[in-house]
Amino acid sequence: MLEWAGIPPDESPRRGGPAGPYLQSQRLELYAQAADTLVRTGAAYPCFCSPQRLGLLKKEALRNRQPPRYDNRCRNLSQRQVAQKLAGGPKPAIRFRLDEEAPAFQDLVYGWNRHEVASVEGDPVVLKGDGFPTYHLACVVDDHHMGVSHVLRGSEWLVSTAKHLLLYQALGWPPPRFAHLPLLVNADGSKLSKRRGDLFLQRFAAAGFLPDALLDLLTNCGSGFAENQMGRTLAELIAQFDLSRITCHSALLDLEKLPEFNRLHLRRLVSSEAQRGQLVGKLQALVEEAFGSQLTDRAVLDPGYVERVILLRQGHICRLQDLVSAAHSYLWTRPAVGRAQLGAISEKVDEIATRVLGLLEGPATSLTQDTLNAELKKLSEGLDGTRHSHVMQVLRMALSGQPQGPPVAEMMVCLGPNEVRERIRKVLCS
C-alpha cells in the first residue's frame, strides 16, 4: 500500500537494498549475536519462567490494582542453576537488566526527557525462547546495522526510549536521534487502531479515494508545516515539511473532510491531459462493472464521450465512482420515462418537445451551455402560460428520468444532440 500511496520505501524486502535482509525471520542471527553479547557482559540473563507463572504475576498485580511487572526472579540464578535449567528444559527467553540509571535524551519533538524505567518496570524480554526478538531488541539491532540516523515514531514509544538507550549503551553502539510524533486520534479522542477495519488503506483505495488526497488530509490534520492548506501534492509536502514545526498535540483525524480533499486532487488530475486519459480508462471499467448488460448502447464507452462526462462533471464529484451512482445513471443508460410523467409537469409536453427538437436541428446552433441556456430561455418565453421552470423540469425528466440533477443545458451538452433527440422522441412515442 506504500506503493499505492506514492511513498515507496527506499529499501524493503521487495526492492532490496544494501542493508538487507529486510525480513525479521532472516535476521535472527543478528539478534542472537546481540543477545549473546548482552548475556556475556552481564547486561542480560536467561529467564526460565513459564507462561503460567508470568500469567499469575500479572493477575496478582491487577488484583492489587498495580501495573503488571516481572519480579526479576531469574536475574539472580547462579551459574550452576542456569546450567541445570538449560540442560533440562526448553530454551529460555533473554531478559535485559534494568540496573543502570537511564540517560536523559533530547527528543526532537518533546525536548529533554528522562524515564527511570527500572523503578516502575521489571526486566524486559529482549529475545524470546523461539529466537525471535521483541521490539526493544529488534529496533536497536536493525537501526544500528542499517545505519539509521533518525528514528521518527509514535509518542507511545517515548517512555521505552530509555530502555533502548540503555541497550545501545550496553552494546557499545552510538544511538540515533529520536523524534516522537503525536498520535492521530479519532473524533472522540481515542487512538486510531488497526482493529477498526474501516481504517485500512485498502478500503480507501477501493472506494476511489486518491493517495494524494489522503496524504494531504493527514498532513493537514497534523503539524510540521508553516501553514495548513488544502491541495498540496506529494512534492510540495516534501519541500515544505519541517521537523522543527511538529507540535506535541495529538491530531484529530477528520475523515469527513476527505471527500473535499479528493475533489481538489481529482480536478488536478483532470486538468492534466495525460492523467485525464488514465481517468477515462478507469471510468470505462467502472461503467462496465456497474451497468454491464444494461449498456444497450455501448457508444457510451467511447473515450471521447467518457472524457466529456469527466470534464463537465469534475467540479461536482468527489470520486470517479460518483459518476456511476444512481444520480448519474442517465449518462450511461436511457431512463424509462412515460409520457404521463411529463404530462403531470406541464400540459404542453408536445409543444416543448417539438420546439427543443427544432432547436437541435438548427444548423447555426452551437451546442454550448451558454447558448443552450439562452435558447431555452427564449423557448420558454414563447410558450404562453408555461413557466421556464416547468420547461426545465420536463426536459430534465425526459433526459434523466430524475426530478433533480445537473443543469439541463449541461445534460444536453454532455449527452450530445443525437442522444437528446432520441430520448425526447422516445418519450413522445411512449
Side-chain angles (χ1 to χ4, degrees), residues 305 308-309 312-313 330-331 352-361 365-377 379 388 391-392 394-400 405-424:
Y305 175 71
R308 186 163 75 239
V309 169
L312 288 169
R313 291 273 81 202
Y330 72 91
L331 292 168
I352 293 172
T354 300
R355 292 197 179 201
V356 171
L357 290 174
L359 173 63
L360 295 175
E361 296 294 342
T365 300
S366 176
L367 201 62
T368 66
Q369 290 190 61
D370 289 342
T371 301
L372 279 170
N373 278 324
E375 292 295 328
L376 290 172
K377 185 69 174 176
L379 184 151
H388 179 64
V391 173
M392 295 298 99
V394 167
L395 290 176
R396 180 177 285 107
M397 182 62 71
L399 297 177
S400 69
V408 170
E410 181 191 311
M411 282 186 176
M412 295 175 71
V413 171
C414 195
L415 293 170
N418 291 336
E419 181 63 20
V420 171
R421 280 193 291 265
E422 286 298 318
R423 294 193 182 192
I424 292 177

CSV table of all heavy atoms in Angstrom, one decimal, residues 305 308-309 312-313 330-331 352-361 365-377 379 388 391-392 394-400 405-424:
chain,number,residue,atom,x,y,z
A,305,TYR,N,-16.6,10.5,-25.4
A,305,TYR,CA,-17.8,10.7,-24.6
A,305,TYR,C,-17.5,10.7,-23.1
A,305,TYR,O,-17.9,11.5,-22.3
A,305,TYR,CB,-18.9,9.7,-24.9
A,305,TYR,CG,-20.1,9.8,-24.0
A,305,TYR,CD1,-21.0,10.9,-24.2
A,305,TYR,CD2,-20.4,8.9,-23.0
A,305,TYR,CE1,-22.1,11.1,-23.3
A,305,TYR,CE2,-21.5,9.0,-22.2
A,305,TYR,CZ,-22.4,10.1,-22.4
A,305,TYR,OH,-23.5,10.2,-21.5
A,308,ARG,N,-15.7,13.7,-22.0
A,308,ARG,CA,-16.6,14.8,-21.9
A,308,ARG,C,-17.4,14.8,-20.6
A,308,ARG,O,-17.6,15.9,-20.0
A,308,ARG,CB,-17.6,14.8,-23.1
A,308,ARG,CG,-18.5,16.1,-23.2
A,308,ARG,CD,-19.1,16.3,-24.6
A,308,ARG,NE,-20.2,15.4,-24.8
A,308,ARG,CZ,-20.2,14.5,-25.8
A,308,ARG,NH1,-19.2,14.4,-26.6
A,308,ARG,NH2,-21.3,13.7,-26.0
A,309,VAL,N,-17.8,13.6,-20.2
A,309,VAL,CA,-18.5,13.5,-18.9
A,309,VAL,C,-17.7,13.9,-17.8
A,309,VAL,O,-18.1,14.7,-16.9
A,309,VAL,CB,-19.0,12.0,-18.7
A,309,VAL,CG1,-19.5,11.8,-17.3
A,309,VAL,CG2,-20.1,11.6,-19.7
A,312,LEU,N,-17.1,17.8,-17.8
A,312,LEU,CA,-18.3,18.6,-17.4
A,312,LEU,C,-18.7,18.4,-15.9
A,312,LEU,O,-19.2,19.3,-15.3
A,312,LEU,CB,-19.5,18.2,-18.2
A,312,LEU,CG,-19.4,18.7,-19.7
A,312,LEU,CD1,-20.5,18.1,-20.5
A,312,LEU,CD2,-19.6,20.2,-19.7
A,313,ARG,N,-18.4,17.2,-15.4
A,313,ARG,CA,-18.9,16.9,-14.0
A,313,ARG,C,-17.7,17.0,-13.0
A,313,ARG,O,-18.0,16.8,-11.8
A,313,ARG,CB,-19.4,15.5,-13.9
A,313,ARG,CG,-20.7,15.2,-14.7
A,313,ARG,CD,-21.9,15.5,-13.8
A,313,ARG,NE,-22.2,16.9,-13.7
A,313,ARG,CZ,-22.9,17.5,-12.7
A,313,ARG,NH1,-23.3,16.7,-11.7
A,313,ARG,NH2,-23.2,18.7,-12.7
A,330,TYR,N,-28.2,8.2,-15.8
A,330,TYR,CA,-28.7,8.6,-17.1
A,330,TYR,C,-27.6,8.9,-18.1
A,330,TYR,O,-27.8,8.9,-19.3
A,330,TYR,CB,-29.5,10.0,-16.9
A,330,TYR,CG,-28.6,11.1,-16.6
A,330,TYR,CD1,-28.1,11.9,-17.6
A,330,TYR,CD2,-28.3,11.5,-15.3
A,330,TYR,CE1,-27.3,13.0,-17.3
A,330,TYR,CE2,-27.5,12.5,-15.0
A,330,TYR,CZ,-27.0,13.3,-16.0
A,330,TYR,OH,-26.2,14.4,-15.7
A,331,LEU,N,-26.4,9.0,-17.6
A,331,LEU,CA,-25.2,9.2,-18.5
A,331,LEU,C,-24.9,7.9,-19.3
A,331,LEU,O,-24.3,8.0,-20.4
A,331,LEU,CB,-24.0,9.6,-17.7
A,331,LEU,CG,-24.0,11.0,-17.1
A,331,LEU,CD1,-22.9,11.2,-16.1
A,331,LEU,CD2,-24.0,12.1,-18.1
A,352,ILE,N,-43.3,21.7,-26.1
A,352,ILE,CA,-42.0,21.8,-25.6
A,352,ILE,C,-41.0,20.9,-26.4
A,352,ILE,O,-39.9,21.3,-26.8
A,352,ILE,CB,-41.9,21.5,-24.1
A,352,ILE,CG1,-42.7,22.5,-23.3
A,352,ILE,CG2,-40.5,21.4,-23.6
A,352,ILE,CD1,-42.9,22.2,-21.8
A,353,ALA,N,-41.4,19.6,-26.5
A,353,ALA,CA,-40.6,18.7,-27.2
A,353,ALA,C,-40.3,19.1,-28.7
A,353,ALA,O,-39.2,19.0,-29.2
A,353,ALA,CB,-41.2,17.3,-27.2
A,354,THR,N,-41.4,19.5,-29.3
A,354,THR,CA,-41.2,19.9,-30.7
A,354,THR,C,-40.3,21.1,-30.9
A,354,THR,O,-39.4,21.1,-31.8
A,354,THR,CB,-42.6,20.3,-31.3
A,354,THR,OG1,-43.5,19.2,-31.2
A,354,THR,CG2,-42.5,20.7,-32.8
A,355,ARG,N,-40.4,22.1,-30.0
A,355,ARG,CA,-39.5,23.3,-30.1
A,355,ARG,C,-38.1,22.9,-29.8
A,355,ARG,O,-37.1,23.4,-30.4
A,355,ARG,CB,-40.0,24.3,-29.1
A,355,ARG,CG,-41.4,24.9,-29.6
A,355,ARG,CD,-41.7,26.2,-28.9
A,355,ARG,NE,-42.9,26.8,-29.3
A,355,ARG,CZ,-43.3,28.1,-29.2
A,355,ARG,NH1,-42.4,28.9,-28.7
A,355,ARG,NH2,-44.4,28.5,-29.6
A,356,VAL,N,-37.8,22.0,-28.8
A,356,VAL,CA,-36.5,21.6,-28.5
A,356,VAL,C,-35.9,20.8,-29.6
A,356,VAL,O,-34.7,21.0,-30.0
A,356,VAL,CB,-36.4,20.8,-27.2
A,356,VAL,CG1,-35.1,20.2,-26.9
A,356,VAL,CG2,-36.8,21.7,-26.0
A,357,LEU,N,-36.7,20.0,-30.2
A,357,LEU,CA,-36.1,19.2,-31.4
A,357,LEU,C,-35.8,20.2,-32.5
A,357,LEU,O,-34.8,20.0,-33.2
A,357,LEU,CB,-37.2,18.2,-31.8
A,357,LEU,CG,-37.4,17.0,-30.9
A,357,LEU,CD1,-38.5,16.1,-31.4
A,357,LEU,CD2,-36.1,16.2,-30.8
A,358,GLY,N,-36.6,21.2,-32.7
A,358,GLY,CA,-36.3,22.2,-33.7
A,358,GLY,C,-35.0,23.0,-33.4
A,358,GLY,O,-34.2,23.3,-34.3
A,359,LEU,N,-34.9,23.3,-32.1
A,359,LEU,CA,-33.7,24.0,-31.7
A,359,LEU,C,-32.4,23.1,-32.0
A,359,LEU,O,-31.4,23.7,-32.5
A,359,LEU,CB,-33.7,24.2,-30.2
A,359,LEU,CG,-32.5,24.8,-29.5
A,359,LEU,CD1,-32.2,26.2,-30.0
A,359,LEU,CD2,-32.7,24.9,-28.0
A,360,LEU,N,-32.5,21.8,-31.8
A,360,LEU,CA,-31.3,21.0,-32.1
A,360,LEU,C,-31.1,20.8,-33.5
A,360,LEU,O,-29.9,20.4,-33.9
A,360,LEU,CB,-31.6,19.6,-31.4
A,360,LEU,CG,-31.7,19.6,-29.9
A,360,LEU,CD1,-32.0,18.2,-29.3
A,360,LEU,CD2,-30.3,20.1,-29.2
A,361,GLU,N,-32.1,21.0,-34.4
A,361,GLU,CA,-31.9,20.8,-35.8
A,361,GLU,C,-31.3,22.0,-36.5
A,361,GLU,O,-30.8,22.0,-37.6
A,361,GLU,CB,-33.2,20.5,-36.5
A,361,GLU,CG,-33.9,19.2,-36.1
A,361,GLU,CD,-33.1,18.0,-36.5
A,361,GLU,OE1,-32.3,18.1,-37.4
A,361,GLU,OE2,-33.3,16.9,-36.0
A,365,THR,N,-26.9,26.6,-34.6
A,365,THR,CA,-26.9,26.5,-33.2
A,365,THR,C,-25.6,25.7,-32.7
A,365,THR,O,-25.4,24.6,-33.1
A,365,THR,CB,-28.1,25.7,-32.7
A,365,THR,OG1,-29.3,26.4,-33.1
A,365,THR,CG2,-28.1,25.6,-31.1
A,366,SER,N,-24.8,26.4,-31.9
A,366,SER,CA,-23.7,25.8,-31.3
A,366,SER,C,-24.1,25.2,-30.0
A,366,SER,O,-24.6,25.9,-29.1
A,366,SER,CB,-22.6,26.8,-31.1
A,366,SER,OG,-21.5,26.2,-30.5
A,367,LEU,N,-23.8,23.9,-29.8
A,367,LEU,CA,-24.3,23.2,-28.6
A,367,LEU,C,-23.4,23.5,-27.4
A,367,LEU,O,-22.6,22.6,-27.0
A,367,LEU,CB,-24.5,21.7,-28.8
A,367,LEU,CG,-25.4,21.0,-27.9
A,367,LEU,CD1,-26.8,21.5,-28.0
A,367,LEU,CD2,-25.4,19.5,-28.2
A,368,THR,N,-23.4,24.7,-26.9
A,368,THR,CA,-22.7,25.1,-25.7
A,368,THR,C,-23.7,25.4,-24.6
A,368,THR,O,-24.9,25.7,-24.9
A,368,THR,CB,-21.8,26.3,-25.9
A,368,THR,OG1,-22.6,27.5,-26.1
A,368,THR,CG2,-20.8,26.1,-27.1
A,369,GLN,N,-23.2,25.3,-23.3
A,369,GLN,CA,-24.2,25.6,-22.3
A,369,GLN,C,-24.7,27.0,-22.3
A,369,GLN,O,-25.9,27.2,-22.1
A,369,GLN,CB,-23.5,25.3,-20.9
A,369,GLN,CG,-23.2,23.8,-20.6
A,369,GLN,CD,-22.7,23.6,-19.2
A,369,GLN,OE1,-23.4,23.9,-18.3
A,369,GLN,NE2,-21.5,23.1,-19.1
A,370,ASP,N,-23.9,27.9,-22.6
A,370,ASP,CA,-24.4,29.3,-22.6
A,370,ASP,C,-25.4,29.5,-23.7
A,370,ASP,O,-26.4,30.2,-23.5
A,370,ASP,CB,-23.2,30.3,-22.8
A,370,ASP,CG,-22.3,30.4,-21.6
A,370,ASP,OD1,-22.7,30.0,-20.5
A,370,ASP,OD2,-21.1,30.8,-21.7
A,371,THR,N,-25.1,29.0,-24.9
A,371,THR,CA,-26.0,29.1,-26.0
A,371,THR,C,-27.3,28.4,-25.7
A,371,THR,O,-28.4,29.0,-25.9
A,371,THR,CB,-25.4,28.6,-27.3
A,371,THR,OG1,-24.2,29.2,-27.6
A,371,THR,CG2,-26.4,28.7,-28.4
A,372,LEU,N,-27.3,27.2,-25.2
A,372,LEU,CA,-28.5,26.5,-24.9
A,372,LEU,C,-29.3,27.2,-23.8
A,372,LEU,O,-30.5,27.2,-23.9
A,372,LEU,CB,-28.1,25.1,-24.4
A,372,LEU,CG,-27.8,24.1,-25.5
A,372,LEU,CD1,-27.2,22.8,-25.0
A,372,LEU,CD2,-29.1,23.8,-26.4
A,373,ASN,N,-28.6,27.7,-22.8
A,373,ASN,CA,-29.4,28.4,-21.7
A,373,ASN,C,-30.2,29.6,-22.3
A,373,ASN,O,-31.3,29.8,-21.9
A,373,ASN,CB,-28.4,28.9,-20.6
A,373,ASN,CG,-28.1,27.8,-19.6
A,373,ASN,OD1,-28.9,27.0,-19.3
A,373,ASN,ND2,-26.8,27.8,-19.2
A,374,ALA,N,-29.5,30.3,-23.2
A,374,ALA,CA,-30.2,31.5,-23.8
A,374,ALA,C,-31.3,31.0,-24.7
A,374,ALA,O,-32.5,31.6,-24.6
A,374,ALA,CB,-29.2,32.3,-24.6
A,375,GLU,N,-31.1,30.0,-25.5
A,375,GLU,CA,-32.2,29.5,-26.4
A,375,GLU,C,-33.3,28.9,-25.6
A,375,GLU,O,-34.5,29.0,-26.0
A,375,GLU,CB,-31.6,28.5,-27.4
A,375,GLU,CG,-30.6,29.0,-28.3
A,375,GLU,CD,-31.2,30.0,-29.3
A,375,GLU,OE1,-32.4,29.9,-29.6
A,375,GLU,OE2,-30.5,31.0,-29.7
A,376,LEU,N,-33.0,28.1,-24.6
A,376,LEU,CA,-34.1,27.5,-23.8
A,376,LEU,C,-34.9,28.6,-23.0
A,376,LEU,O,-36.1,28.5,-22.9
A,376,LEU,CB,-33.5,26.5,-22.8
A,376,LEU,CG,-33.0,25.3,-23.4
A,376,LEU,CD1,-32.2,24.4,-22.3
A,376,LEU,CD2,-34.0,24.4,-24.0
A,377,LYS,N,-34.3,29.7,-22.7
A,377,LYS,CA,-35.0,30.8,-22.0
A,377,LYS,C,-36.0,31.4,-23.0
A,377,LYS,O,-37.1,31.7,-22.7
A,377,LYS,CB,-34.0,31.8,-21.5
A,377,LYS,CG,-34.6,33.0,-20.8
A,377,LYS,CD,-35.1,32.5,-19.4
A,377,LYS,CE,-35.6,33.7,-18.6
A,377,LYS,NZ,-36.2,33.3,-17.3
A,379,LEU,N,-37.2,30.0,-25.7
A,379,LEU,CA,-38.2,29.0,-26.0
A,379,LEU,C,-39.3,29.0,-24.9
A,379,LEU,O,-40.5,29.0,-25.3
A,379,LEU,CB,-37.5,27.6,-26.0
A,379,LEU,CG,-38.4,26.4,-26.4
A,379,LEU,CD1,-37.5,25.3,-27.0
A,379,LEU,CD2,-39.1,25.8,-25.1
A,388,HIS,N,-40.8,28.9,-17.1
A,388,HIS,CA,-39.5,28.4,-17.6
A,388,HIS,C,-39.1,27.2,-16.7
A,388,HIS,O,-38.5,26.2,-17.2
A,388,HIS,CB,-38.4,29.5,-17.5
A,388,HIS,CG,-37.0,29.0,-17.9
A,388,HIS,ND1,-36.7,28.6,-19.1
A,388,HIS,CD2,-35.9,28.9,-17.1
A,388,HIS,CE1,-35.4,28.3,-19.2
A,388,HIS,NE2,-34.9,28.5,-18.0
A,391,VAL,N,-40.6,24.0,-18.0
A,391,VAL,CA,-39.9,23.6,-19.2
A,391,VAL,C,-38.7,22.8,-18.8
A,391,VAL,O,-38.4,21.7,-19.3
A,391,VAL,CB,-39.6,24.8,-20.1
A,391,VAL,CG1,-38.7,24.3,-21.3
A,391,VAL,CG2,-40.8,25.4,-20.6
A,392,MET,N,-37.9,23.3,-17.9
A,392,MET,CA,-36.7,22.7,-17.4
A,392,MET,C,-37.0,21.3,-16.7
A,392,MET,O,-36.3,20.4,-16.9
A,392,MET,CB,-35.9,23.6,-16.4
A,392,MET,CG,-35.4,24.9,-17.0
A,392,MET,SD,-34.2,24.6,-18.4
A,392,MET,CE,-35.2,24.8,-19.8
A,394,VAL,N,-39.6,19.4,-17.3
A,394,VAL,CA,-40.0,18.4,-18.4
A,394,VAL,C,-38.7,17.9,-19.1
A,394,VAL,O,-38.6,16.7,-19.3
A,394,VAL,CB,-40.9,19.1,-19.4
A,394,VAL,CG1,-41.0,18.2,-20.6
A,394,VAL,CG2,-42.3,19.4,-18.8
A,395,LEU,N,-37.8,18.8,-19.4
A,395,LEU,CA,-36.6,18.3,-20.1
A,395,LEU,C,-35.7,17.5,-19.2
A,395,LEU,O,-35.2,16.4,-19.7
A,395,LEU,CB,-35.8,19.5,-20.6
A,395,LEU,CG,-36.5,20.3,-21.8
A,395,LEU,CD1,-35.7,21.5,-22.2
A,395,LEU,CD2,-36.7,19.4,-23.0
A,396,ARG,N,-35.6,17.9,-18.0
A,396,ARG,CA,-34.7,17.1,-17.1
A,396,ARG,C,-35.3,15.7,-16.9
A,396,ARG,O,-34.6,14.7,-16.9
A,396,ARG,CB,-34.6,17.8,-15.7
A,396,ARG,CG,-33.7,17.0,-14.7
A,396,ARG,CD,-33.5,17.7,-13.4
A,396,ARG,NE,-32.6,18.8,-13.5
A,396,ARG,CZ,-32.9,20.1,-13.5
A,396,ARG,NH1,-34.2,20.4,-13.4
A,396,ARG,NH2,-32.0,21.0,-13.7
A,397,MET,N,-36.6,15.6,-16.7
A,397,MET,CA,-37.2,14.3,-16.6
A,397,MET,C,-37.1,13.4,-17.8
A,397,MET,O,-36.8,12.2,-17.8
A,397,MET,CB,-38.7,14.4,-16.2
A,397,MET,CG,-39.5,13.1,-15.9
A,397,MET,SD,-38.8,12.2,-14.5
A,397,MET,CE,-39.3,13.2,-13.2
A,398,ALA,N,-37.3,14.1,-19.0
A,398,ALA,CA,-37.2,13.3,-20.2
A,398,ALA,C,-35.7,12.8,-20.5
A,398,ALA,O,-35.5,11.7,-21.0
A,398,ALA,CB,-37.6,14.2,-21.4
A,399,LEU,N,-34.8,13.6,-20.1
A,399,LEU,CA,-33.4,13.2,-20.4
A,399,LEU,C,-32.8,12.3,-19.3
A,399,LEU,O,-31.9,11.5,-19.7
A,399,LEU,CB,-32.5,14.5,-20.5
A,399,LEU,CG,-32.9,15.5,-21.6
A,399,LEU,CD1,-32.0,16.7,-21.5
A,399,LEU,CD2,-32.7,14.8,-23.0
A,400,SER,N,-33.2,12.5,-18.0
A,400,SER,CA,-32.5,11.7,-17.0
A,400,SER,C,-33.5,10.8,-16.2
A,400,SER,O,-33.0,9.9,-15.5
A,400,SER,CB,-31.9,12.7,-16.0
A,400,SER,OG,-32.8,13.4,-15.3
A,405,GLY,N,-31.1,17.2,-10.6
A,405,GLY,CA,-29.9,16.8,-11.2
A,405,GLY,C,-29.1,18.0,-11.7
A,405,GLY,O,-29.4,19.2,-11.3
A,406,PRO,N,-28.1,17.8,-12.6
A,406,PRO,CA,-27.3,18.9,-13.2
A,406,PRO,C,-28.2,19.8,-14.0
A,406,PRO,O,-29.4,19.5,-14.3
A,406,PRO,CB,-26.3,18.2,-14.1
A,406,PRO,CG,-26.3,16.7,-13.6
A,406,PRO,CD,-27.7,16.5,-13.1
A,407,PRO,N,-27.7,21.0,-14.3
A,407,PRO,CA,-28.4,21.9,-15.2
A,407,PRO,C,-28.8,21.2,-16.5
A,407,PRO,O,-28.0,20.4,-17.0
A,407,PRO,CB,-27.5,23.1,-15.4
A,407,PRO,CG,-26.5,23.0,-14.2
A,407,PRO,CD,-26.4,21.6,-13.9
A,408,VAL,N,-30.0,21.5,-17.0
A,408,VAL,CA,-30.5,20.9,-18.2
A,408,VAL,C,-29.5,21.1,-19.4
A,408,VAL,O,-29.2,20.2,-20.2
A,408,VAL,CB,-31.9,21.4,-18.6
A,408,VAL,CG1,-32.3,20.9,-20.0
A,408,VAL,CG2,-32.9,20.9,-17.5
A,409,ALA,N,-29.0,22.4,-19.5
A,409,ALA,CA,-28.1,22.7,-20.6
A,409,ALA,C,-26.8,21.8,-20.5
A,409,ALA,O,-26.3,21.3,-21.5
A,409,ALA,CB,-27.7,24.1,-20.6
A,410,GLU,N,-26.3,21.6,-19.3
A,410,GLU,CA,-25.2,20.7,-19.2
A,410,GLU,C,-25.5,19.3,-19.6
A,410,GLU,O,-24.7,18.6,-20.2
A,410,GLU,CB,-24.7,20.7,-17.7
A,410,GLU,CG,-23.4,19.9,-17.5
A,410,GLU,CD,-23.1,19.6,-16.1
A,410,GLU,OE1,-23.0,20.6,-15.3
A,410,GLU,OE2,-22.8,18.5,-15.7
A,411,MET,N,-26.7,18.8,-19.2
A,411,MET,CA,-27.1,17.5,-19.6
A,411,MET,C,-27.1,17.3,-21.1
A,411,MET,O,-26.6,16.3,-21.7
A,411,MET,CB,-28.5,17.2,-19.1
A,411,MET,CG,-28.6,16.8,-17.6
A,411,MET,SD,-30.3,16.3,-17.2
A,411,MET,CE,-30.2,15.8,-15.5
A,412,MET,N,-27.6,18.3,-21.8
A,412,MET,CA,-27.8,18.3,-23.2
A,412,MET,C,-26.4,18.3,-23.9
A,412,MET,O,-26.2,17.6,-24.8
A,412,MET,CB,-28.6,19.5,-23.7
A,412,MET,CG,-30.1,19.4,-23.2
A,412,MET,SD,-31.1,20.8,-23.7
A,412,MET,CE,-31.2,20.6,-25.4
A,413,VAL,N,-25.5,19.1,-23.4
A,413,VAL,CA,-24.1,19.2,-23.9
A,413,VAL,C,-23.4,17.8,-23.7
A,413,VAL,O,-22.7,17.3,-24.6
A,413,VAL,CB,-23.3,20.3,-23.3
A,413,VAL,CG1,-21.8,20.2,-23.7
A,413,VAL,CG2,-23.9,21.7,-23.7
A,414,CYS,N,-23.6,17.3,-22.5
A,414,CYS,CA,-22.9,16.0,-22.2
A,414,CYS,C,-23.5,14.9,-23.0
A,414,CYS,O,-22.7,14.1,-23.6
A,414,CYS,CB,-23.2,15.7,-20.7
A,414,CYS,SG,-22.1,14.5,-20.0
A,415,LEU,N,-24.8,14.7,-23.1
A,415,LEU,CA,-25.3,13.6,-23.9
A,415,LEU,C,-25.1,13.8,-25.4
A,415,LEU,O,-25.0,12.8,-26.1
A,415,LEU,CB,-26.8,13.5,-23.6
A,415,LEU,CG,-27.2,13.1,-22.2
A,415,LEU,CD1,-28.7,13.3,-21.9
A,415,LEU,CD2,-26.8,11.7,-21.9
A,416,GLY,N,-25.1,15.0,-25.8
A,416,GLY,CA,-24.9,15.3,-27.3
A,416,GLY,C,-26.2,15.4,-28.0
A,416,GLY,O,-27.2,14.8,-27.5
A,417,PRO,N,-26.3,16.1,-29.1
A,417,PRO,CA,-27.6,16.4,-29.8
A,417,PRO,C,-28.3,15.1,-30.2
A,417,PRO,O,-29.5,15.0,-30.1
A,417,PRO,CB,-27.2,17.3,-30.9
A,417,PRO,CG,-25.7,17.0,-31.1
A,417,PRO,CD,-25.2,16.7,-29.8
A,418,ASN,N,-27.6,14.1,-30.7
A,418,ASN,CA,-28.2,12.9,-31.2
A,418,ASN,C,-28.9,12.2,-30.1
A,418,ASN,O,-30.1,11.7,-30.3
A,418,ASN,CB,-27.2,12.0,-31.9
A,418,ASN,CG,-26.7,12.6,-33.2
A,418,ASN,OD1,-27.4,13.4,-33.8
A,418,ASN,ND2,-25.5,12.2,-33.6
A,419,GLU,N,-28.3,12.0,-29.0
A,419,GLU,CA,-28.9,11.3,-27.9
A,419,GLU,C,-30.0,12.1,-27.3
A,419,GLU,O,-31.1,11.5,-26.9
A,419,GLU,CB,-27.8,11.0,-26.8
A,419,GLU,CG,-28.3,10.2,-25.6
A,419,GLU,CD,-28.8,8.8,-26.0
A,419,GLU,OE1,-28.4,8.3,-27.0
A,419,GLU,OE2,-29.6,8.2,-25.2
A,420,VAL,N,-29.9,13.4,-27.2
A,420,VAL,CA,-31.0,14.2,-26.7
A,420,VAL,C,-32.2,14.0,-27.6
A,420,VAL,O,-33.4,13.9,-27.1
A,420,VAL,CB,-30.6,15.7,-26.6
A,420,VAL,CG1,-31.8,16.6,-26.3
A,420,VAL,CG2,-29.5,15.9,-25.5
A,421,ARG,N,-32.1,14.1,-28.9
A,421,ARG,CA,-33.2,13.9,-29.8
A,421,ARG,C,-33.8,12.5,-29.6
A,421,ARG,O,-35.1,12.4,-29.6
A,421,ARG,CB,-32.7,14.0,-31.3
A,421,ARG,CG,-32.6,15.4,-31.7
A,421,ARG,CD,-32.4,15.5,-33.2
A,421,ARG,NE,-31.1,15.0,-33.7
A,421,ARG,CZ,-30.0,15.7,-33.9
A,421,ARG,NH1,-30.1,17.0,-33.7
A,421,ARG,NH2,-28.9,15.1,-34.3
A,422,GLU,N,-33.0,11.5,-29.5
A,422,GLU,CA,-33.5,10.1,-29.3
A,422,GLU,C,-34.4,10.0,-28.0
A,422,GLU,O,-35.4,9.4,-28.0
A,422,GLU,CB,-32.4,9.1,-29.3
A,422,GLU,CG,-31.7,8.8,-30.6
A,422,GLU,CD,-32.7,8.2,-31.6
A,422,GLU,OE1,-33.5,7.4,-31.2
A,422,GLU,OE2,-32.8,8.7,-32.8
A,423,ARG,N,-33.9,10.6,-26.9
A,423,ARG,CA,-34.6,10.5,-25.7
A,423,ARG,C,-35.9,11.2,-25.7
A,423,ARG,O,-37.0,10.8,-25.2
A,423,ARG,CB,-33.7,11.0,-24.5
A,423,ARG,CG,-32.5,10.1,-24.3
A,423,ARG,CD,-31.8,10.3,-23.0
A,423,ARG,NE,-30.6,9.5,-22.9
A,423,ARG,CZ,-29.9,9.3,-21.8
A,423,ARG,NH1,-30.2,9.9,-20.7
A,423,ARG,NH2,-28.8,8.5,-21.8
A,424,ILE,N,-35.9,12.4,-26.3
A,424,ILE,CA,-37.2,13.2,-26.4
A,424,ILE,C,-38.2,12.4,-27.3
A,424,ILE,O,-39.4,12.3,-27.0
A,424,ILE,CB,-36.9,14.6,-27.0
A,424,ILE,CG1,-36.1,15.4,-25.9
A,424,ILE,CG2,-38.2,15.3,-27.3
A,424,ILE,CD1,-35.7,16.8,-26.4
